[in-house]
Each structure stands twice: as structure tokens, then as C-alpha cells.
Amino acid sequence: MCGIVGYTGKGNAAPALIDGLYRLEYRGYDSAGIAVEGENGIQIVKRAGRVKGLECARGLEGHAGIGHTRWATHGAPTERNAHPHAYHGIVLVHNGIIENAYTLREGCLARGETFVSDTDSEVIAHLIAAEYRGNLLEAVRAGCEKLKGSYALAVMCEKERGKIVCARKRSPLIVARSGENLLVASDLPALAGEAEAYALGEGEFALLDGDITFYDASLSPIQKVRTEFDASTELADRGGYPHFMRKEMAEIPAAMRRTREEAEKTLSLSPLYEVLCQTEYIQILGCGTAYHAGLCAKTFLEATCRLPSEACVASEYRYRDPIVPSNTLAVAVSQSGETADTIAAAELAKERGARLVAVTNSPDSSLNRMADFVLPTRAGREVAVAATKSFNAQLVALYHLSEALARAKGKPFSPLPDLSAAAEETLLRSERVENWIKSFQNARTALFIGRGADFCAALEGSLKLKEISYLPSEGYPAGELKHGTLALIEDGTPVVAVLTCARLAEKTMNAVHEAYARGAHVFLVTTFLEYAGREAVRDAVLLPPCDGLLSPVLSVIPLQMLAYFVSVARGADPDKPRNLAKSVTVE
Ligand code: F6R
């Protein structure tokens, strides 16, 4: 979380920093700030809120600077807590969490030092200032030795003009050269189009001072190989759509098609095939939407391959002392490939003997680097905080992995259909959910219900709605309503029922009637025309024909669309919901 940038070169630093921060806003947008080294020292401008608040600083003169866009962890999202933080001539930006910040701060306070923010980051400036003996690089290293937790740092010093020192531990940092300009960024989008980029390794340091020098943890200079980055990391634009989310939903069919092609290629590789032959248990690890993709895959896997499997919330898995039976295949699912909880869960699964497959949308991600096998999703860059096309692509990849498993295990399996054309059709049919928003706009709560795979889709629909429209909602197994949640239903409560599994359809309709009888406005997402016309149903999206086990890849589309329309109708920003960030790199 948080995005950091740095610039030192011949041009003006401020515009480069601000433009870089715009491209990193997906990492957080609670506050932003830059520090620019001018003729009269380092000048800092910070604002609460989004990067656009820094436009007033675009004209600052100076050829070196650092910048930050924040997702608040310690301390409210105020200007006072915005980065850069400065202490006695040391100025820095930080991404990560310092776990021993409180103890370190107590030490500084005992020495009579004062703090101006509530952040964990400010103490790093104090530590470095205390270690400073005329060499910024050495002071940063000495300061870092005292830190527990995660950090990516870009540090400047009033006394060492034009220099930036970088350090990293468990938070990503990229350093790049573009002609005579040297750059730092948390991630590639901030460097879009730059020629020569290097990913700073764990515990390494970089000194930007006319040129880039890399150092290992003991400050011995090291050579680094230039990192080849995927061209799809280029800066995205909205392509004429009002929001990235809307554009990314329109890209679902293409994302599914590309992912299918990729899966067919990747899964034919023999080393993975051998592992699949031995696999007896599957643990799918992920957070949020990626976890929901895991739930859908588990339902599919068990039904088709008859292999025991579980979908695990990665942030829970890492703390539950998980049992990892022999011949377990761990499948870590993550759009970004940088989610701290998913990485930690995957590490633990590996430590306990599982083989690891990473299903990510980011070829250069940490998760890919640690995995035994990578099964890429080819959704293309996703900018909106709410995952849409990446979810559909994850499902396609996971369904293909299930098919490969079935084959490796000699289980009968009908070839997977290409559902991208059906997704295209579903997008068109989903437009009608714009008519549903009257029931949602002023509701106090909303419910999404389903059984089996439909329940998994319902969970994702509910997450999407609450995430971007701030309307409390629950995804619930349809049969469980009567065990408590039915009490939430009052006159006009919107209930969306997902109904695509023939075997379960009548059962789900029971819950629909129970909700309707209590005043609910019931909407249906279904593959069955006969249910769409029932009196209890206010309106329905009829999906193209699809096997009920694969249907979440289609049924989620009207739910994503509904969340989008409700968000816009309620005056929220669907691309940048409050309190969230696209890449969750802290625990
Ligand atoms: C919801 C959403 C999040 C992410 C979660 C995991 O729309 O996007 O729930 O799915 O933070 O992120 P990744 O997939 O990058 O690991």
C-alpha cells in the first residue's frame, strides 16, 4: 500500500513526481505529498486527499525530489500524517508497516525528540538522523537495522544535494534510468515508458547520485540485471468510458479469451502435469475477490474431479497452523501478485511441503517469483480498485487447472466450453440492471442469495456492492436465510437471487418466495426463463445457457454492473472507493 516516487536529474522534479503519483494512486489516495530540493533547501508540500491536491506544487523548482500517495495504516488520513516526513535534515517517504514503531518512538521521546505526526513512518527519519555522520547511505542502512516490519524507502538529506537513497524489505521498489534522469517508484506504472528498470531485491540498497549504484545488505556494491517488464504495465486510459470499472467490465470477454489461450499453453507443459498426477489435496489461497474465485473453483473441482479441496482466506490461513497433507497443491490466486496476506499464506503452504501454483495477473509479481508454476491470467491491467475482469479471468484459469487435474487423474471430463461469447451477450443483457437501482439507492441493506456455485457468485456480488456503493449487503446461502438473516428483510429490501444450477433452482426459489412474502424486492440472475416470469420476481437478467458449475463467470457480470450503477447513483467514485487501495501490500 502507499505509492512512492523519486526523481533526480536535469529536469524539474515536481511535475515528474506528481505525474508519477497519479499513476500510483491505485495504491492509496488518503493523502499525498512531495519534497523538492530547491536552491534554498528541501521544500515539502502535503495535502489530505488525492494527488490532485498537489497541483499547487507543480511549479516548485528543483532537480531532485521524492513523493508519496498514502493508504493510512497508523494515523488518520490528515495532512499532518501525510508523507514526506522530515527530521533534522532527513526527509523520507515510506511504504510498509514498522511493527516496532511504538518502542522506537518511546526511545526517541526519552531522548527529548518531538514528533509531529501519528505515523509509524516518522520514527524512521529520527533513526536515520541519529545515525547520520556525513554519509546518507550508511545512515539509512544503520537506521534500517533497527526496523521490524516492512518498508520501501526513498530518503533525501539537506546536506547531500541531488542524492536519493533507496532501501527495501518486503515492500516493492523499482529504480530506473531514463537518459540522464534517475527514478524510483513502488511499481512500474509510475515509470511507464521508461527504458531501464531494476527491481530492488530484499534487503538491498540503491544510491541515486548522477548514476545508480546498488548495494547488498552489508553495503558492498553489487551488479544487478535489468528487469524485463511486461508491456501491459503501460499506463492505462479510460478509453472513452466514464470510469475504469465500466471499461474493465467491457473487457471481460477478451480477458476470458486470452486467459483460456494462455491456460491451454501453460497447462500442456509436462513438469506441471507430473505434479498434477501426484496431487491429492488442493488448497486455494486468496483474499477478497480472489478468495471468491477460489470458492467457485473449489465447488467446480470437487464436483468434477472429486478431489478434496478447500478455499482458504489467506489472511486467516497464515495464523491457523494449517494442516498441509502430503501431495497438496497450493494455488495462490491474486490479481496483483503482491497481496501480503496471500504471499505469506503461500510461503507457509510451501514451507509445509505443498507445491505452489500462482494464478496472477502480474507477470513480474512477488507471488510469481516464489511459485513453482505460474498460471497467468491475461486480463490486462486493472485500474479500478474493484476487481472485475480479473475475477472472470481467474475463474477461467482455475477451471482449466481443474480440467488439467481431471485429465492427469484419469477422471472423465467434458472439454471446457469457451464462454467468452456468452460473456459478451451477458454484458449486453446486464445493462437492464440500471433499472434496478431505484430499489437499492436508498435501501438500508441488500441481500445476495444462491446455493452451490450460485452462492459463491452471490458473495462476490455482495462484496462488489458494499465496496463501491457503501450500501451494507450480505451474500448468503439461500437456505440459510430462515435461520436468522430473514429478519433483515422489510418492505422494499432488495434481494438478488442467483439461480443457475438446475438441481438447486426450486430450492432457491423457496427462499425467493419467503423473502417476497416479507416485502422484499426480488431480482433474479438466472439461466432459466421459467423463473424470471414468476410473480415474486420484480425483474430478471436472463443469462445465456451455461452449466451451473461454470456459471459464476457469467452470473457475476450483472452483479458487477449493478454495483457500478448503484455506486454512481449514490454519488460515490466506483474507481476509487473510500478507505481502500488496489494493491494490499500490508498485513
Ligand atoms: C475487491 C477486490 C479485493 C481484492 C483483494 C485481493 O473488488 O479487488 O477484494 O480481490 O484485495 O487482491 P489481489 O487479487 O491483488 O490479491
Side-chain angles (χ1 to χ4, degrees), residues 287-290 333-337 339 342 385-387 394 463-464 467 584:
C287 295
T289 291
V333 185
S334 171
Q335 188 283 131
S336 62
T339 299
T342 309
V385 165
Q394 283 163 357
L463 175 63
K464 225 65 328 167
E467 179 183 13
V584 188

Side-chain angles (χ1 to χ4, degrees), residues 1 71-74 95-99 120 148-150 170-171 287 314-319 338-345 347 583-587:
M1 324 287 287
W71 185 80
T73 57
H74 294 56
N95 164 214
I97 290 185
I98 304 305
E99 287 163 6
D120 55 336
K148 289 201 181 115
S150 59
R170 286 173 31 212
S171 287
C287 295
S315 54
E316 289 289 316
Y317 181 90
R318 62 190 292 195
Y319 296 115
E338 299 294 347
T339 299
D341 287 318
T342 309
I343 291 173
E347 268 166 3
S583 196
V584 188
T585 57
V586 293
E587 188 182 333

